Structure formats: C-alpha cells, structure tokens
Amino acid sequence: MVGLLIAFISFNLIALKIKKRLSLLHMSYIWTFTIAFQTVFDVYVDFKYHGYWYFSKGVDWKSSIAIFLVPPVNVVFLNFFPYKKALRKKVLYLVGWEIVLLLYEAITLLPEPWGYFHYGWWTMWHSLILNPILLMILLGYYKWMVKLEKRSTLASNFKY
C-alpha cells in the first residue's frame, strides 16, 4: 500500500506541477477516457481472465486507488509528446516511455508494502507488446478529440 500511495501522490503532483501544453479541458477529457478505458481493460484482464490483479484477486477497495494512477501519467505523456517532430523523435519518445513503464511495473511487483501488483498469466512481455499499442490508442483519441473540438468551434462561429 505504501508504494501505491507514493505513486498516487507523485504522479498526480507531477501532472499538476509540470508546465502544461494541454488545456484543463483536454486534461479532463484524457482523465475521463483513461479511467473508462482502464476500467474496461481491467474488468476483462483482471476480473474475468485473472491475468493480473492489484493487492488480491477480486474486487477490493484498496485497488480502487490504482485507477487514479494512469490518468496523470497519460497527461504527462501527451503533454510532452513531440507532435510536430520527425517520426524518429516520436519513436524514441515512445521507446523512452516504454522503458519507464516497464521499470515502474517491475517496481509494483515488489513484495508489500512497496508493491501492489501481481501477475496471473500476464508477464512483462505482454506489457512490452501492449504498452505501445495503448499509448497509440491514447494518442489517437487525443488527436481525434482536438480535431472534433476545432470542428465544433468552427461550426459554432458560423451560428452567430
């Protein structure tokens, strides 16, 4: 539980204190999307297929805090993403994040009180393959959201 609380406080403070390129509205969209997406993912991999779990198998209140770990990380990821840089820089950025995410996952596997994450059939290899896909889904969602926002702003300008 100690590791989870340290991560919760650290991740949220970092997301709040960094110089922001994202608006508060965009951050709220990312938080909402992340919580919804993570919940659906966890329902299947954690509860239905027992691939991994937090603290103990099944639903427990302690693990509900874990849902608030990923949104601030996603905000930081999107905030510093090199949107207008060359593909090489984007790939290096993703590789750097992959390394950080895998290191963090390894730390969460430590025994309690530092660790809180446990593997069933899930392995670090699953994360290695799936993390970039999840980050690309997040990036795609963010770009789509910005595009919709621009379109709705343009459309609302013509109503007056």
Side-chain angles (χ1 to χ4, degrees), residues 68-89:
F68 297 106
L69 289 177
V70 179
V73 173
N74 284 349
V75 166
V76 173
F77 169 80
L78 290 171
N79 192 64
F80 293 111
F81 190 83
Y83 296 99
K84 296 181 181 186
K85 302 288 183 183
L87 179 62
R88 182 176 179 269
K89 293 240 184 200

mmCIF file of all heavy atoms in Angstrom, residues 68-89:
data_model
loop_
_atom_site.group_PDB
_atom_site.id
_atom_site.type_symbol
_atom_site.label_atom_id
_atom_site.label_comp_id
_atom_site.label_asym_id
_atom_site.label_seq_id
_atom_site.Cartn_x
_atom_site.Cartn_y
_atom_site.Cartn_z
ATOM 1 N N PHE A 68 -6.573 5.755 -10.399
ATOM 2 C CA PHE A 68 -6.144 7.150 -10.494
ATOM 3 C C PHE A 68 -4.636 7.292 -10.718
ATOM 4 O O PHE A 68 -4.099 8.393 -10.626
ATOM 5 C CB PHE A 68 -6.569 7.918 -9.243
ATOM 6 C CG PHE A 68 -8.055 7.975 -9.085
ATOM 7 C CD1 PHE A 68 -8.695 7.209 -8.123
ATOM 8 C CD2 PHE A 68 -8.826 8.764 -9.920
ATOM 9 C CE1 PHE A 68 -10.067 7.245 -7.991
ATOM 10 C CE2 PHE A 68 -10.201 8.797 -9.797
ATOM 11 C CZ PHE A 68 -10.825 8.036 -8.821
ATOM 12 N N LEU A 69 -3.956 6.198 -11.026
ATOM 13 C CA LEU A 69 -2.526 6.250 -11.323
ATOM 14 C C LEU A 69 -2.248 6.556 -12.790
ATOM 15 O O LEU A 69 -1.329 7.289 -13.119
ATOM 16 C CB LEU A 69 -1.854 4.923 -10.973
ATOM 17 C CG LEU A 69 -1.710 4.590 -9.504
ATOM 18 C CD1 LEU A 69 -1.094 3.215 -9.352
ATOM 19 C CD2 LEU A 69 -0.879 5.628 -8.804
ATOM 20 N N VAL A 70 -3.018 5.989 -13.677
ATOM 21 C CA VAL A 70 -2.737 6.093 -15.108
ATOM 22 C C VAL A 70 -3.122 7.461 -15.693
ATOM 23 O O VAL A 70 -2.378 7.981 -16.529
ATOM 24 C CB VAL A 70 -3.405 4.928 -15.878
ATOM 25 C CG1 VAL A 70 -3.142 5.023 -17.365
ATOM 26 C CG2 VAL A 70 -2.909 3.594 -15.345
ATOM 27 N N PRO A 71 -4.245 8.082 -15.302
ATOM 28 C CA PRO A 71 -4.587 9.366 -15.923
ATOM 29 C C PRO A 71 -3.509 10.445 -15.828
ATOM 30 O O PRO A 71 -3.203 11.077 -16.848
ATOM 31 C CB PRO A 71 -5.877 9.784 -15.206
ATOM 32 C CG PRO A 71 -6.501 8.503 -14.793
ATOM 33 C CD PRO A 71 -5.342 7.618 -14.433
ATOM 34 N N PRO A 72 -2.883 10.675 -14.669
ATOM 35 C CA PRO A 72 -1.847 11.717 -14.664
ATOM 36 C C PRO A 72 -0.625 11.336 -15.516
ATOM 37 O O PRO A 72 0.004 12.200 -16.125
ATOM 38 C CB PRO A 72 -1.465 11.863 -13.190
ATOM 39 C CG PRO A 72 -1.929 10.627 -12.526
ATOM 40 C CD PRO A 72 -3.103 10.148 -13.319
ATOM 41 N N VAL A 73 -0.315 10.053 -15.589
ATOM 42 C CA VAL A 73 0.787 9.600 -16.437
ATOM 43 C C VAL A 73 0.450 9.875 -17.902
ATOM 44 O O VAL A 73 1.295 10.349 -18.671
ATOM 45 C CB VAL A 73 1.082 8.097 -16.196
ATOM 46 C CG1 VAL A 73 2.096 7.572 -17.196
ATOM 47 C CG2 VAL A 73 1.557 7.879 -14.771
ATOM 48 N N ASN A 74 -0.781 9.619 -18.292
ATOM 49 C CA ASN A 74 -1.202 9.892 -19.664
ATOM 50 C C ASN A 74 -1.165 11.383 -19.980
ATOM 51 O O ASN A 74 -0.814 11.777 -21.093
ATOM 52 C CB ASN A 74 -2.595 9.327 -19.920
ATOM 53 C CG ASN A 74 -2.578 7.830 -20.097
ATOM 54 O OD1 ASN A 74 -1.523 7.210 -20.227
ATOM 55 N ND2 ASN A 74 -3.749 7.230 -20.091
ATOM 56 N N VAL A 75 -1.520 12.210 -19.020
ATOM 57 C CA VAL A 75 -1.460 13.660 -19.212
ATOM 58 C C VAL A 75 -0.015 14.093 -19.454
ATOM 59 O O VAL A 75 0.271 14.884 -20.359
ATOM 60 C CB VAL A 75 -2.084 14.407 -18.008
ATOM 61 C CG1 VAL A 75 -1.720 15.887 -18.020
ATOM 62 C CG2 VAL A 75 -3.601 14.236 -18.001
ATOM 63 N N VAL A 76 0.911 13.565 -18.670
ATOM 64 C CA VAL A 76 2.326 13.905 -18.842
ATOM 65 C C VAL A 76 2.827 13.393 -20.194
ATOM 66 O O VAL A 76 3.532 14.104 -20.924
ATOM 67 C CB VAL A 76 3.176 13.347 -17.675
ATOM 68 C CG1 VAL A 76 4.662 13.547 -17.935
ATOM 69 C CG2 VAL A 76 2.772 14.009 -16.363
ATOM 70 N N PHE A 77 2.454 12.171 -20.545
ATOM 71 C CA PHE A 77 2.853 11.603 -21.842
ATOM 72 C C PHE A 77 2.401 12.506 -22.985
ATOM 73 O O PHE A 77 3.196 12.844 -23.872
ATOM 74 C CB PHE A 77 2.260 10.198 -22.003
ATOM 75 C CG PHE A 77 2.401 9.638 -23.393
ATOM 76 C CD1 PHE A 77 3.596 9.089 -23.812
ATOM 77 C CD2 PHE A 77 1.331 9.665 -24.278
ATOM 78 C CE1 PHE A 77 3.734 8.574 -25.097
ATOM 79 C CE2 PHE A 77 1.456 9.159 -25.558
ATOM 80 C CZ PHE A 77 2.663 8.612 -25.972
ATOM 81 N N LEU A 78 1.149 12.898 -22.992
ATOM 82 C CA LEU A 78 0.623 13.729 -24.074
ATOM 83 C C LEU A 78 1.169 15.152 -24.020
ATOM 84 O O LEU A 78 1.347 15.796 -25.056
ATOM 85 C CB LEU A 78 -0.908 13.764 -24.017
ATOM 86 C CG LEU A 78 -1.603 12.462 -24.392
ATOM 87 C CD1 LEU A 78 -3.086 12.543 -24.097
ATOM 88 C CD2 LEU A 78 -1.355 12.127 -25.854
ATOM 89 N N ASN A 79 1.425 15.633 -22.834
ATOM 90 C CA ASN A 79 1.913 16.999 -22.674
ATOM 91 C C ASN A 79 3.277 17.190 -23.349
ATOM 92 O O ASN A 79 3.532 18.230 -23.943
ATOM 93 C CB ASN A 79 2.008 17.351 -21.190
ATOM 94 C CG ASN A 79 2.216 18.813 -20.972
ATOM 95 O OD1 ASN A 79 1.360 19.624 -21.311
ATOM 96 N ND2 ASN A 79 3.355 19.180 -20.422
ATOM 97 N N PHE A 80 4.145 16.197 -23.263
ATOM 98 C CA PHE A 80 5.491 16.319 -23.809
ATOM 99 C C PHE A 80 5.687 15.588 -25.134
ATOM 100 O O PHE A 80 6.801 15.543 -25.655
ATOM 101 C CB PHE A 80 6.520 15.823 -22.783
ATOM 102 C CG PHE A 80 6.592 16.692 -21.571
ATOM 103 C CD1 PHE A 80 6.148 16.228 -20.348
ATOM 104 C CD2 PHE A 80 7.074 17.987 -21.654
ATOM 105 C CE1 PHE A 80 6.214 17.030 -19.220
ATOM 106 C CE2 PHE A 80 7.132 18.801 -20.545
ATOM 107 C CZ PHE A 80 6.702 18.321 -19.322
ATOM 108 N N PHE A 81 4.624 15.007 -25.674
ATOM 109 C CA PHE A 81 4.756 14.278 -26.929
ATOM 110 C C PHE A 81 5.258 15.217 -28.031
ATOM 111 O O PHE A 81 4.756 16.332 -28.168
ATOM 112 C CB PHE A 81 3.426 13.650 -27.348
ATOM 113 C CG PHE A 81 3.561 12.707 -28.501
ATOM 114 C CD1 PHE A 81 3.951 11.400 -28.297
ATOM 115 C CD2 PHE A 81 3.334 13.143 -29.800
ATOM 116 C CE1 PHE A 81 4.104 10.530 -29.365
ATOM 117 C CE2 PHE A 81 3.487 12.279 -30.871
ATOM 118 C CZ PHE A 81 3.875 10.970 -30.651
ATOM 119 N N PRO A 82 6.229 14.775 -28.845
ATOM 120 C CA PRO A 82 6.775 15.641 -29.905
ATOM 121 C C PRO A 82 5.894 15.633 -31.162
ATOM 122 O O PRO A 82 6.244 15.062 -32.197
ATOM 123 C CB PRO A 82 8.147 15.014 -30.175
ATOM 124 C CG PRO A 82 7.976 13.574 -29.828
ATOM 125 C CD PRO A 82 6.989 13.537 -28.695
ATOM 126 N N TYR A 83 4.745 16.273 -31.078
ATOM 127 C CA TYR A 83 3.741 16.231 -32.143
ATOM 128 C C TYR A 83 4.279 16.659 -33.501
ATOM 129 O O TYR A 83 3.969 16.043 -34.511
ATOM 130 C CB TYR A 83 2.546 17.114 -31.791
ATOM 131 C CG TYR A 83 1.811 16.639 -30.576
ATOM 132 C CD1 TYR A 83 2.029 17.229 -29.337
ATOM 133 C CD2 TYR A 83 0.910 15.586 -30.645
ATOM 134 C CE1 TYR A 83 1.373 16.790 -28.209
ATOM 135 C CE2 TYR A 83 0.245 15.140 -29.530
ATOM 136 C CZ TYR A 83 0.482 15.745 -28.307
ATOM 137 O OH TYR A 83 -0.164 15.296 -27.197
ATOM 138 N N LYS A 84 5.056 17.717 -33.553
ATOM 139 C CA LYS A 84 5.489 18.280 -34.840
ATOM 140 C C LYS A 84 6.939 17.933 -35.175
ATOM 141 O O LYS A 84 7.562 18.596 -35.983
ATOM 142 C CB LYS A 84 5.288 19.792 -34.833
ATOM 143 C CG LYS A 84 3.822 20.154 -34.704
ATOM 144 C CD LYS A 84 3.586 21.621 -34.728
ATOM 145 C CE LYS A 84 2.089 21.851 -34.562
ATOM 146 N NZ LYS A 84 1.702 23.208 -34.696
ATOM 147 N N LYS A 85 7.454 16.899 -34.551
ATOM 148 C CA LYS A 85 8.830 16.470 -34.804
ATOM 149 C C LYS A 85 8.831 15.305 -35.794
ATOM 150 O O LYS A 85 7.785 14.755 -36.140
ATOM 151 C CB LYS A 85 9.509 16.033 -33.497
ATOM 152 C CG LYS A 85 9.548 17.100 -32.439
ATOM 153 C CD LYS A 85 10.536 18.186 -32.784
ATOM 154 C CE LYS A 85 10.576 19.192 -31.641
ATOM 155 N NZ LYS A 85 11.431 20.300 -31.874
ATOM 156 N N ALA A 86 10.017 14.922 -36.199
ATOM 157 C CA ALA A 86 10.189 13.809 -37.143
ATOM 158 C C ALA A 86 9.754 12.490 -36.505
ATOM 159 O O ALA A 86 9.725 12.356 -35.277
ATOM 160 C CB ALA A 86 11.650 13.725 -37.576
ATOM 161 N N LEU A 87 9.439 11.537 -37.358
ATOM 162 C CA LEU A 87 9.000 10.216 -36.896
ATOM 163 C C LEU A 87 10.032 9.583 -35.966
ATOM 164 O O LEU A 87 9.676 8.940 -34.982
ATOM 165 C CB LEU A 87 8.730 9.314 -38.099
ATOM 166 C CG LEU A 87 8.280 7.889 -37.785
ATOM 167 C CD1 LEU A 87 6.948 7.906 -37.037
ATOM 168 C CD2 LEU A 87 8.174 7.068 -39.054
ATOM 169 N N ARG A 88 11.302 9.783 -36.262
ATOM 170 C CA ARG A 88 12.366 9.216 -35.432
ATOM 171 C C ARG A 88 12.251 9.707 -33.995
ATOM 172 O O ARG A 88 12.381 8.929 -33.043
ATOM 173 C CB ARG A 88 13.718 9.594 -36.032
ATOM 174 C CG ARG A 88 14.898 9.029 -35.296
ATOM 175 C CD ARG A 88 16.196 9.387 -36.028
ATOM 176 N NE ARG A 88 17.328 8.872 -35.329
ATOM 177 C CZ ARG A 88 17.999 9.541 -34.397
ATOM 178 N NH1 ARG A 88 17.647 10.764 -34.074
ATOM 179 N NH2 ARG A 88 19.034 8.995 -33.800
ATOM 180 N N LYS A 89 11.994 10.987 -33.804
ATOM 181 C CA LYS A 89 11.852 11.556 -32.448
ATOM 182 C C LYS A 89 10.624 10.980 -31.751
ATOM 183 O O LYS A 89 10.660 10.704 -30.553
ATOM 184 C CB LYS A 89 11.750 13.080 -32.516
ATOM 185 C CG LYS A 89 13.009 13.731 -32.994
ATOM 186 C CD LYS A 89 13.524 14.653 -31.965
ATOM 187 C CE LYS A 89 14.744 15.345 -32.547
ATOM 188 N NZ LYS A 89 15.586 15.901 -31.579
#
